Amino acid sequence: MSDTASHSYDYDLFVIGAGSGGVRAARMSSANGARVAIAEERFLGGTCVNVGCVPKKLFTYAAHVPDEVKDAAGYGWTVGAPRFDWPTLRDNKTAEIERLNGIYEKLLSNAGVTLYNARATLVDAHTLDVGGETVTAERILIAVGGRPNRPSEPGAEYGVVSDDMFYLDELPKRAIVAGGGYIAVEFAGILHGLGVETTQLYRGDMFLRGFDDDVRAHLAEEMRKKGVDLRFNTIIEKTEKREDGTLVAHLSGGETLETDLILYAIGRSPNTDGLGLEAAGVETDAKGAIKVDDDYRTTASSVYAIGDVIDRVQLTPVAIGEGMVFAFNTFAGQSRKMDYRDIPSAVFSHPPIGSVGLSEAEAVAEYGAVDVYQASFRPMKNTLSGNQEKALMKLLVEPKSDRVVGLHMVGPEAGEIAQGFAVAFRAGATKADFDSTVGIHPTSAEEFVTMREPTRRAEASKAAE
């Protein structure tokens, strides 16, 4: 950063958006000698910390408590009738989020990053309007994330989106969740677990498109067993609101459904509106995502973008990884590349999903044939409780190399288990490596290292039939 040209600008780097990716990029760039500023118009920590993974996981913990209370009886515990108070959960969650906001502010301050609590928009490829103030930077990084989509059918304004769910005045008695992605599935489980009569609608044949088909089917079965009313190939065509506040959803099959709340979880879009991208020469694709190359450079050579706004993989750790790649390549002369293969993921559904590697359909498409190892069983914890919930575990092995190319689980602690096995994927573990690993007994995770015989071979010709 010794070239004098850079000092004709106010900053070497200006970051728009103080979510997980933007904050990490700002801190690491500053640590590597850059003069850095960051602007945030809403809240520090972005979607994940404020209206995403963190509060959602806290709600998920709360929603599992009724099952724990029920299970306790089989272990000899007598527990009084549980009562749930929504304002307590909501307000405790908010206090924790505010604590995390403060931590993010300290991280930026300690790193020497200048924070603007204001909206920043591009004037040109080196100039920004930050809350009415003109600021210049040699490089600009856009990390503004995404936002929930809102539908357009009549009466859609009576519904809410995921952002709203964390601040509801009261918990509804009945709810409809419209959508089939992980956010819809997670909120359907949360609402049902908190005692809400829950219906989930999805326009397709089966939710969680892109996940392994056996995982999708298993979760649907378990959710129905718990009492969630799942309806596929169904959408809301219009909604009416009665004088007493009751919502009446008119469904595509001609049926009407009365409810107290409709949550639209129908996808997310890059948050690029009104940023001034055209003025800076930054191009977007048909979905509004910013176009970038492998170094996250946009069509304007001084402007970069990372995270959900580029719509590659919408996961917080991915945005953080992209921020690290940008910072170290730009300000430390390194040549890092983000590897998007074998990224582990979890869905905090009820029961949860953990996954790393390819789905069966993806593995067959890539390799032509894969050996499938699969088991479904009641976890040991459920044997005394009487809980009928089953876990699913599945391995996909490429037969020529013996490499494990997919690992999928539905069941307790699935995310924690998949995270551990993700390291083995990075190391290129084979089925022989799994077989030679001593299991921890008794655990569910040991099933992955004790499945000796394949249940079947999946082949491209058979998959096409």
Side-chain angles (χ1 to χ4, degrees):
M1 294 310 305
S2 58
D3 78 291
T4 53
S6 68
H7 287 273
S8 62
Y9 298 105
D10 298 325
Y11 298 100
D12 301 318
L13 174 67
F14 196 101
V15 182
I16 308 176
S20 301
V23 167
R24 182 62 64 90
R27 289 173 55 216
M28 292 302 104
S29 297
S30 182
N32 282 295
R35 296 170 302 130
V36 183
I38 192 166
E40 177 53 60
E41 66 172 324
R42 196 175 177 193
F43 32 46
L44 297 177
T47 297
C48 178
V49 167
N50 295 276
V51 287
C53 16
V54 172
K56 179 190 66 189
K57 187 76 181 288
L58 294 172
F59 281 9
T60 298
Y61 286 133
H64 276 295
V65 170
D67 285 340
E68 299 287 344
V69 172
K70 250 188 249 174
D71 291 350
Y75 285 93
W77 288 92
T78 301
V79 182
R83 288 188 307 114
F84 174 67
D85 184 62
W86 165 254
T88 299
L89 172 62
R90 180 197 61 207
D91 297 347
N92 285 349
K93 173 273 306 175
T94 300
E96 171 61 10
I97 298 311
E98 288 169 353
R99 184 185 74 84
L100 294 174
N101 293 151
I103 287 174
Y104 270 78
E105 190 164 4
K106 279 182 190 161
L107 286 172
L108 290 167
S109 174
N110 291 345
V113 176
T114 302
L115 172 62
Y116 290 82
N117 289 299
R119 178 171 175 78
T121 55
L122 297 166
V123 176
D124 60 38
H126 292 283
T127 312
L128 305 106
D129 180 314
V130 187
E133 179 184 344
T134 299
V135 178
T136 61
E138 184 179 14
R139 293 179 179 88
I140 297 167
L141 176 67
I142 302 170
V144 293
R147 65 179 186 278
N149 294 336
R150 292 180 183 268
S152 56
E153 72 261 10
E157 67 273 15
Y158 301 128
V160 301
V161 294
S162 56
D163 286 8
D164 307 315
M165 292 298 292
F166 301 105
Y167 298 96
L168 295 176
D169 290 335
E170 58 184 4
L171 194 67
K173 289 187 171 60
R174 302 164 296 179
I176 295 173
V177 178
Y182 72 93
I183 295 171
V185 167
E186 288 170 335
F187 270 112
I190 288 167
L191 288 164
H192 178 263
L194 297 179
V196 178
E197 187 183 313
T198 305
T199 302
Q200 183 177 354
L201 313 175
Y202 178 54
R203 60 190 168 91
D205 292 334
M206 181 60 70
F207 56 20
L208 292 177
R209 185 162 49 90
F211 283 79
D212 186 89
D213 286 345
D214 287 322
V215 166
R216 300 163 76 194
H218 185 89
L219 180 64
E221 182 181 346
E222 292 301 320
M223 287 177 68
R224 283 182 167 132
K225 270 162 54 175
K226 288 176 180 294
V228 176
D229 182 4
L230 286 181
R231 305 191 191 190
F232 298 131
N233 299 303
T234 305
I235 61 169
I236 299 173
E237 293 188 335
K238 71 172 181 176
T239 302
E240 296 172 325
K241 188 171 186 177
R242 292 183 180 152
E243 286 185 15
D244 66 357
T246 299
L247 302 178
V248 181
H250 294 256
L251 308 183
S252 49
E255 186 183 351
T256 58
L257 205 56
E258 293 185 4
T259 189
D260 306 304
L261 178 138
I262 298 174
L263 165 62
Y264 289 103
I266 54 172
R268 295 176 63 83
S269 294
N271 213 6
T272 48
D273 291 350
L275 270 183
L277 299 181
E278 288 183 10
V282 175
E283 293 180 10
T284 57
D285 65 18
K287 293 182 179 177
I290 294 176
K291 295 179 183 178
V292 293
D293 63 16
D294 288 344
D295 295 315
Y296 306 107
R297 192 188 298 264
T298 71
T299 48
S301 62
S302 60
V303 182
Y304 299 74
I306 59 168
D308 288 3
V309 78
I310 66 173
D311 196 22
R312 287 190 175 176
V313 179
Q314 293 188 24
L315 295 172
T316 296
V318 172
I320 290 171
E322 291 168 347
M324 298 276 278
V325 168
F326 164 80
F328 281 95
N329 290 358
T330 307
F331 297 108
Q334 297 185 15
S335 54
R336 298 186 181 191
K337 288 282 185 238
M338 183 75 189
D339 186 355
Y340 292 94
R341 190 177 173 91
D342 294 337
I343 293 172
S345 64
V347 179
F348 296 107
S349 46
H350 291 230
I353 296 168
S355 183
V356 58
L358 303 176
S359 69
E360 183 178 322
E362 290 168 337
V364 168
E366 183 162 337
Y367 298 109
V370 286
D371 287 332
V372 179
Y373 297 76
Q374 191 165 319
S376 178
F377 56 92
R378 280 174 75 196
M380 186 177 178
K381 182 183 176 185
N382 295 346
T383 55
L384 294 190
S385 71
N387 187 334
Q388 295 303 308
E389 182 183 292
K390 285 189 171 183
L392 171 75
M393 303 183 109
K394 181 174 180 178
L395 283 177
L396 302 169
V397 178
E398 198 281 300
K400 290 178 185 170
S401 65
D402 195 43
R403 199 164 63 82
V404 180
V405 296
L407 178 147
H408 308 280
M409 176 179 174
V410 185
E413 307 302 337
E416 306 287 349
I417 291 168
Q419 177 69 82
F421 280 106
V423 179
F425 270 68
R426 299 299 302 169
T430 62
K431 184 64 169 65
D433 292 322
F434 274 60
D435 292 345
S436 64
T437 300
V438 177
I440 300 172
H441 184 73
T443 64
S444 291
E446 70 175 320
E447 191 73 26
F448 281 127
V449 298
T450 57
M451 291 195 277
R452 294 288 181 256
E453 297 296 325
T455 49
R456 57 190 166 85
R457 175 166 285 189
E459 297 182 74
S461 58
K462 291 180 182 175
E465 286 173 8

